[in-house]
Amino acid sequence: MNSQTTMSGMPDLYAGDRKRQVLIVEDEFVNRELLNAYLENDYELLFAETGAEALETIHARSETLSLVLLDLILPDINGLDILRRIKQDADLTRIPIIVLTSDTESEVESLNTGASDFISKPYPRHEVIMARIRRSIELSENRDLIRWTERDHLTGLFNRDYFYRYAEQYDLFHAEEPTDALVLDISHFHMINERFGKAYGDEILRRIGAELLRMARLYGGIVCRREADTFQVYCPHRTDYEALVRQIADTVNADMLGHIRLRVGVYAEVDKRLEMERRFDHAKDAANSIRNSYSASVAVYDDRLHEQEVFAERLLDDFHSALEQKQFIVFFQPKFDVRPDTPVLCGAEALVRWKHPELGMVSPGVFVPLFEGHGLIRDLDNYVWRETAAQIRIWKERFGRSVPVSVNVSRIDMMDPELADTLCGIVRENGIDFSDLHLEITESAYTEDAKQIVEVVSGLRDKGFRIEMDDFGSGYSSLNMLSALPIDVLKLDMMFIRTAFSGAGNTRMIEIILDISHSLSVPMIAEGVETEEQMLTLKKLGCDIVQGYYFAKPMPAGEFESFLTR
Ligand code: C2E
Ligand code: CA
Ligand code: CA
């Protein structure tokens, strides 16, 4: 191989006149001179006369060295020790080493310790030495190339494509063995990146990768990084994943700042007739089923999940025709200003329902997350916004007044570059005011890509839309961040009402959030208020607006009109 050789796929480090670097570790002057004479035309040569010097050079040039020629007998350190140290060091082990020795005994030991080859002393003919050097370098570069294409560069694990190939091979050798497919990811990894920085996040991923690999070596199986913070494991069936996951998390957390939580989806005893990717899809679905759970860390794919999947596929298939046939219906739930003695209607929230001809009423809690994951939410939301704006217009004409209606804007909609144009168009086409249409944006959207969201929301607000931060308290906004956010109303997450008014609950958290809303000078809406006790308590604490079953459930437009005529 000459210095012009290019290797497809990997950057060509040796284009042009660059020569490969070879380190010669040899304490005898004559031998050094001889090797120098043989090699200097083809290689860039470095020399070390002692073991210490050799190790220093190898560490300093770990990225660029193509080969080390290592004499086993050196004045300070035994050559075999040097070999051992290099082969045990993850950063150095790729460097091929040819051992120079006059002792045939050590040849075998050198090869066992990881030497690529040996050259016996006295030195053989020039051509023999050259051929051995060339071959060692070539083999190691080919191996690098294979690693380069097969592996994920951060963790050193297989990448997804190669993983599937190896999994197929794994099956060939374990055809009769019950096997599990696992998908493993980290809860709120983006928050770890955001709080501690990307380098820290990378370190966590590396550690998890290393732990998984260790387990796979111990118990059998193969591992890969699927993408971002998601790993896959294909291994002999077992039932103690809870314990294993705890062990991995404990090891990774041991001396790190942010504590990670792992979430694992298991498709146990896979059906080997299924395509490999589908098996991992099942595991992924299992993992997703506990996405919002704080207690579960392992979920197993089962019949229930399978039925849910069939159901979900049905909904996805039916979406477009349902939209055309206007099967989606917008309901309205009133909001009441509770500050006056008698509560006053002050607005409504638009909530979509699907009146499916065969499945009956389907709740948005089921189809909204599904559509968000499959790129359909934008079309649905556009439809809901249009229907809502048209309704506001009708009420305006019929009753001579309008109540502002808030619509939900999915976090996925926030990525749509045409969002502002779409919304402005809807307002204009229906002849309503910007202030008639409030936009509810869930708090967690703000934490995902804070900067981008803040820009989009500020733009909408400048146009005149009022922004309600939905599900407040469920996300991770810091106080610092909040004061910089463009919002007009906070909507307290329903969970706070549930917890405050259950058994041993108290209203402490609600009071804290009310303090926040006061310090931001924005009104607070409490939703999910179901009883008079809850309503009166909230009123007493200083909550401005209340929405919930206590006043009314979401209802069709026709029914809602009775609130407008009162
Ligand atoms: P959300 O925005 O937090 O809406 C509040 C949910 O609480 C609604 O559920 C509402 O019916 C329910 N609710 C209201 N008062 C009470 C109460 O007193 N007690 C209880 N237990 N529940 C109450 P719904 O209509 O099933 O909607 C669920 C979620 O689906 C919504 O949560 C929202 O995130 C999403 N969603 C609904 N419509 C749309 C839409 O048009 N577009 C988008 N992107 N998402 C929507
Ligand atoms: Ca909402
Ligand atoms: Ca909400």
Side-chain angles (χ1 to χ4, degrees), residues 274-293:
L274 277 186
E275 248 180 80
M276 194 56 79
E277 288 200 45
R278 287 291 290 162
R279 301 179 207 171
F280 285 91
D281 288 345
H282 287 343
K284 179 97 177 100
D285 291 334
N288 287 346
S289 72
I290 47 168
R291 181 178 284 155
N292 297 316
S293 158

PDB file of all heavy atoms in Angstrom, residues 274-293:
ATOM      1  N   LEU A 274     -41.206 -12.630  12.863  1.00  0.00           N
ATOM      2  CA  LEU A 274     -41.340 -11.192  12.612  1.00  0.00           C
ATOM      3  C   LEU A 274     -40.029 -10.615  12.109  1.00  0.00           C
ATOM      4  O   LEU A 274     -38.960 -11.071  12.487  1.00  0.00           O
ATOM      5  CB  LEU A 274     -41.675 -10.460  13.916  1.00  0.00           C
ATOM      6  CG  LEU A 274     -43.109 -10.396  14.383  1.00  0.00           C
ATOM      7  CD1 LEU A 274     -43.178  -9.492  15.611  1.00  0.00           C
ATOM      8  CD2 LEU A 274     -44.001  -9.859  13.280  1.00  0.00           C
ATOM      9  N   GLU A 275     -40.123  -9.599  11.276  1.00  0.00           N
ATOM     10  CA  GLU A 275     -38.916  -8.896  10.850  1.00  0.00           C
ATOM     11  C   GLU A 275     -38.201  -8.324  12.067  1.00  0.00           C
ATOM     12  O   GLU A 275     -38.849  -7.885  13.025  1.00  0.00           O
ATOM     13  CB  GLU A 275     -39.330  -7.717   9.971  1.00  0.00           C
ATOM     14  CG  GLU A 275     -38.934  -7.839   8.530  1.00  0.00           C
ATOM     15  CD  GLU A 275     -39.415  -6.611   7.786  1.00  0.00           C
ATOM     16  OE1 GLU A 275     -38.743  -5.581   7.871  1.00  0.00           O
ATOM     17  OE2 GLU A 275     -40.491  -6.707   7.163  1.00  0.00           O
ATOM     18  N   MET A 276     -36.869  -8.299  11.980  1.00  0.00           N
ATOM     19  CA  MET A 276     -36.081  -7.846  13.122  1.00  0.00           C
ATOM     20  C   MET A 276     -36.510  -6.444  13.595  1.00  0.00           C
ATOM     21  O   MET A 276     -36.690  -6.199  14.779  1.00  0.00           O
ATOM     22  CB  MET A 276     -34.599  -7.856  12.734  1.00  0.00           C
ATOM     23  CG  MET A 276     -33.650  -7.738  13.889  1.00  0.00           C
ATOM     24  SD  MET A 276     -33.873  -8.992  15.170  1.00  0.00           S
ATOM     25  CE  MET A 276     -33.064 -10.397  14.458  1.00  0.00           C
ATOM     26  N   GLU A 277     -36.709  -5.530  12.666  1.00  0.00           N
ATOM     27  CA  GLU A 277     -37.050  -4.163  13.064  1.00  0.00           C
ATOM     28  C   GLU A 277     -38.381  -4.094  13.799  1.00  0.00           C
ATOM     29  O   GLU A 277     -38.543  -3.319  14.740  1.00  0.00           O
ATOM     30  CB  GLU A 277     -37.111  -3.255  11.834  1.00  0.00           C
ATOM     31  CG  GLU A 277     -35.743  -2.987  11.270  1.00  0.00           C
ATOM     32  CD  GLU A 277     -35.726  -1.744  10.393  1.00  0.00           C
ATOM     33  OE1 GLU A 277     -36.305  -0.716  10.810  1.00  0.00           O
ATOM     34  OE2 GLU A 277     -35.161  -1.816   9.312  1.00  0.00           O
ATOM     35  N   ARG A 278     -39.313  -4.923  13.347  1.00  0.00           N
ATOM     36  CA  ARG A 278     -40.633  -4.941  13.996  1.00  0.00           C
ATOM     37  C   ARG A 278     -40.519  -5.390  15.454  1.00  0.00           C
ATOM     38  O   ARG A 278     -41.218  -4.881  16.327  1.00  0.00           O
ATOM     39  CB  ARG A 278     -41.588  -5.913  13.264  1.00  0.00           C
ATOM     40  CG  ARG A 278     -42.080  -5.416  11.939  1.00  0.00           C
ATOM     41  CD  ARG A 278     -43.018  -4.237  12.113  1.00  0.00           C
ATOM     42  NE  ARG A 278     -44.302  -4.599  12.710  1.00  0.00           N
ATOM     43  CZ  ARG A 278     -45.132  -3.730  13.273  1.00  0.00           C
ATOM     44  NH1 ARG A 278     -44.802  -2.466  13.343  1.00  0.00           N
ATOM     45  NH2 ARG A 278     -46.278  -4.129  13.780  1.00  0.00           N
ATOM     46  N   ARG A 279     -39.601  -6.323  15.703  1.00  0.00           N
ATOM     47  CA  ARG A 279     -39.433  -6.795  17.089  1.00  0.00           C
ATOM     48  C   ARG A 279     -39.015  -5.635  17.982  1.00  0.00           C
ATOM     49  O   ARG A 279     -39.491  -5.485  19.096  1.00  0.00           O
ATOM     50  CB  ARG A 279     -38.368  -7.898  17.152  1.00  0.00           C
ATOM     51  CG  ARG A 279     -38.713  -9.095  16.275  1.00  0.00           C
ATOM     52  CD  ARG A 279     -37.628 -10.145  16.339  1.00  0.00           C
ATOM     53  NE  ARG A 279     -37.602 -10.932  15.103  1.00  0.00           N
ATOM     54  CZ  ARG A 279     -36.665 -11.810  14.790  1.00  0.00           C
ATOM     55  NH1 ARG A 279     -35.662 -12.040  15.630  1.00  0.00           N
ATOM     56  NH2 ARG A 279     -36.711 -12.468  13.652  1.00  0.00           N
ATOM     57  N   PHE A 280     -38.130  -4.813  17.447  1.00  0.00           N
ATOM     58  CA  PHE A 280     -37.682  -3.677  18.260  1.00  0.00           C
ATOM     59  C   PHE A 280     -38.724  -2.562  18.299  1.00  0.00           C
ATOM     60  O   PHE A 280     -38.771  -1.792  19.255  1.00  0.00           O
ATOM     61  CB  PHE A 280     -36.297  -3.204  17.793  1.00  0.00           C
ATOM     62  CG  PHE A 280     -35.226  -4.152  18.241  1.00  0.00           C
ATOM     63  CD1 PHE A 280     -34.836  -5.208  17.433  1.00  0.00           C
ATOM     64  CD2 PHE A 280     -34.676  -4.035  19.507  1.00  0.00           C
ATOM     65  CE1 PHE A 280     -33.889  -6.122  17.860  1.00  0.00           C
ATOM     66  CE2 PHE A 280     -33.727  -4.950  19.948  1.00  0.00           C
ATOM     67  CZ  PHE A 280     -33.326  -5.991  19.125  1.00  0.00           C
ATOM     68  N   ASP A 281     -39.566  -2.489  17.255  1.00  0.00           N
ATOM     69  CA  ASP A 281     -40.685  -1.547  17.326  1.00  0.00           C
ATOM     70  C   ASP A 281     -41.588  -1.900  18.506  1.00  0.00           C
ATOM     71  O   ASP A 281     -42.066  -1.025  19.237  1.00  0.00           O
ATOM     72  CB  ASP A 281     -41.529  -1.590  16.035  1.00  0.00           C
ATOM     73  CG  ASP A 281     -40.790  -0.945  14.869  1.00  0.00           C
ATOM     74  OD1 ASP A 281     -39.797  -0.235  15.124  1.00  0.00           O
ATOM     75  OD2 ASP A 281     -41.208  -1.163  13.716  1.00  0.00           O
ATOM     76  N   HIS A 282     -41.839  -3.193  18.683  1.00  0.00           N
ATOM     77  CA  HIS A 282     -42.670  -3.627  19.811  1.00  0.00           C
ATOM     78  C   HIS A 282     -42.030  -3.213  21.134  1.00  0.00           C
ATOM     79  O   HIS A 282     -42.698  -2.709  22.030  1.00  0.00           O
ATOM     80  CB  HIS A 282     -42.840  -5.158  19.805  1.00  0.00           C
ATOM     81  CG  HIS A 282     -43.758  -5.654  18.729  1.00  0.00           C
ATOM     82  ND1 HIS A 282     -44.643  -4.829  18.066  1.00  0.00           N
ATOM     83  CD2 HIS A 282     -43.942  -6.888  18.196  1.00  0.00           C
ATOM     84  CE1 HIS A 282     -45.326  -5.534  17.186  1.00  0.00           C
ATOM     85  NE2 HIS A 282     -44.917  -6.798  17.242  1.00  0.00           N
ATOM     86  N   ALA A 283     -40.733  -3.438  21.243  1.00  0.00           N
ATOM     87  CA  ALA A 283     -40.038  -3.069  22.481  1.00  0.00           C
ATOM     88  C   ALA A 283     -40.122  -1.559  22.703  1.00  0.00           C
ATOM     89  O   ALA A 283     -40.341  -1.090  23.817  1.00  0.00           O
ATOM     90  CB  ALA A 283     -38.579  -3.516  22.409  1.00  0.00           C
ATOM     91  N   LYS A 284     -39.993  -0.819  21.599  1.00  0.00           N
ATOM     92  CA  LYS A 284     -40.061   0.648  21.693  1.00  0.00           C
ATOM     93  C   LYS A 284     -41.459   1.085  22.151  1.00  0.00           C
ATOM     94  O   LYS A 284     -41.597   1.984  22.981  1.00  0.00           O
ATOM     95  CB  LYS A 284     -39.732   1.236  20.319  1.00  0.00           C
ATOM     96  CG  LYS A 284     -39.772   2.741  20.237  1.00  0.00           C
ATOM     97  CD  LYS A 284     -38.378   3.322  20.381  1.00  0.00           C
ATOM     98  CE  LYS A 284     -38.371   4.823  20.224  1.00  0.00           C
ATOM     99  NZ  LYS A 284     -38.332   5.542  21.495  1.00  0.00           N
ATOM    100  N   ASP A 285     -42.477   0.435  21.597  1.00  0.00           N
ATOM    101  CA  ASP A 285     -43.841   0.777  22.002  1.00  0.00           C
ATOM    102  C   ASP A 285     -44.038   0.515  23.490  1.00  0.00           C
ATOM    103  O   ASP A 285     -44.706   1.283  24.185  1.00  0.00           O
ATOM    104  CB  ASP A 285     -44.856  -0.035  21.192  1.00  0.00           C
ATOM    105  CG  ASP A 285     -44.879   0.410  19.735  1.00  0.00           C
ATOM    106  OD1 ASP A 285     -44.536   1.580  19.469  1.00  0.00           O
ATOM    107  OD2 ASP A 285     -45.215  -0.410  18.867  1.00  0.00           O
ATOM    108  N   ALA A 286     -43.462  -0.590  23.955  1.00  0.00           N
ATOM    109  CA  ALA A 286     -43.561  -0.887  25.384  1.00  0.00           C
ATOM    110  C   ALA A 286     -42.881   0.220  26.189  1.00  0.00           C
ATOM    111  O   ALA A 286     -43.416   0.721  27.171  1.00  0.00           O
ATOM    112  CB  ALA A 286     -42.930  -2.242  25.690  1.00  0.00           C
ATOM    113  N   ALA A 287     -41.699   0.636  25.739  1.00  0.00           N
ATOM    114  CA  ALA A 287     -40.978   1.705  26.443  1.00  0.00           C
ATOM    115  C   ALA A 287     -41.808   2.989  26.432  1.00  0.00           C
ATOM    116  O   ALA A 287     -41.924   3.682  27.443  1.00  0.00           O
ATOM    117  CB  ALA A 287     -39.613   1.948  25.804  1.00  0.00           C
ATOM    118  N   ASN A 288     -42.410   3.295  25.293  1.00  0.00           N
ATOM    119  CA  ASN A 288     -43.211   4.527  25.206  1.00  0.00           C
ATOM    120  C   ASN A 288     -44.430   4.490  26.110  1.00  0.00           C
ATOM    121  O   ASN A 288     -44.916   5.528  26.546  1.00  0.00           O
ATOM    122  CB  ASN A 288     -43.662   4.760  23.766  1.00  0.00           C
ATOM    123  CG  ASN A 288     -42.514   5.206  22.887  1.00  0.00           C
ATOM    124  OD1 ASN A 288     -41.449   5.589  23.385  1.00  0.00           O
ATOM    125  ND2 ASN A 288     -42.701   5.147  21.587  1.00  0.00           N
ATOM    126  N   SER A 289     -44.923   3.278  26.383  1.00  0.00           N
ATOM    127  CA  SER A 289     -46.135   3.186  27.202  1.00  0.00           C
ATOM    128  C   SER A 289     -45.885   3.649  28.635  1.00  0.00           C
ATOM    129  O   SER A 289     -46.827   3.912  29.372  1.00  0.00           O
ATOM    130  CB  SER A 289     -46.678   1.755  27.188  1.00  0.00           C
ATOM    131  OG  SER A 289     -45.828   0.913  27.965  1.00  0.00           O
ATOM    132  N   ILE A 290     -44.618   3.763  29.040  1.00  0.00           N
ATOM    133  CA  ILE A 290     -44.355   4.280  30.396  1.00  0.00           C
ATOM    134  C   ILE A 290     -43.625   5.618  30.334  1.00  0.00           C
ATOM    135  O   ILE A 290     -42.978   6.033  31.278  1.00  0.00           O
ATOM    136  CB  ILE A 290     -43.538   3.277  31.252  1.00  0.00           C
ATOM    137  CG1 ILE A 290     -42.344   2.731  30.471  1.00  0.00           C
ATOM    138  CG2 ILE A 290     -44.413   2.158  31.750  1.00  0.00           C
ATOM    139  CD1 ILE A 290     -41.360   1.967  31.337  1.00  0.00           C
ATOM    140  N   ARG A 291     -43.757   6.292  29.188  1.00  0.00           N
ATOM    141  CA  ARG A 291     -43.047   7.558  29.001  1.00  0.00           C
ATOM    142  C   ARG A 291     -43.362   8.547  30.128  1.00  0.00           C
ATOM    143  O   ARG A 291     -42.486   9.247  30.602  1.00  0.00           O
ATOM    144  CB  ARG A 291     -43.437   8.163  27.650  1.00  0.00           C
ATOM    145  CG  ARG A 291     -42.727   9.463  27.379  1.00  0.00           C
ATOM    146  CD  ARG A 291     -43.097  10.010  26.036  1.00  0.00           C
ATOM    147  NE  ARG A 291     -42.432   9.311  24.947  1.00  0.00           N
ATOM    148  CZ  ARG A 291     -42.910   9.240  23.704  1.00  0.00           C
ATOM    149  NH1 ARG A 291     -44.043   9.790  23.417  1.00  0.00           N
ATOM    150  NH2 ARG A 291     -42.231   8.613  22.773  1.00  0.00           N
ATOM    151  N   ASN A 292     -44.634   8.586  30.541  1.00  0.00           N
ATOM    152  CA  ASN A 292     -44.996   9.598  31.531  1.00  0.00           C
ATOM    153  C   ASN A 292     -45.128   9.043  32.943  1.00  0.00           C
ATOM    154  O   ASN A 292     -45.687   9.680  33.814  1.00  0.00           O
ATOM    155  CB  ASN A 292     -46.294  10.279  31.115  1.00  0.00           C
ATOM    156  CG  ASN A 292     -46.108  10.997  29.799  1.00  0.00           C
ATOM    157  OD1 ASN A 292     -45.102  11.684  29.589  1.00  0.00           O
ATOM    158  ND2 ASN A 292     -47.049  10.812  28.881  1.00  0.00           N
ATOM    159  N   SER A 293     -44.634   7.852  33.130  1.00  0.00           N
ATOM    160  CA  SER A 293     -44.766   7.258  34.449  1.00  0.00           C
ATOM    161  C   SER A 293     -43.515   7.509  35.276  1.00  0.00           C
ATOM    162  O   SER A 293     -42.397   7.376  34.794  1.00  0.00           O
ATOM    163  CB  SER A 293     -44.981   5.750  34.302  1.00  0.00           C
ATOM    164  OG  SER A 293     -44.621   5.099  35.497  1.00  0.00           O
TER     165      SER A 293
END
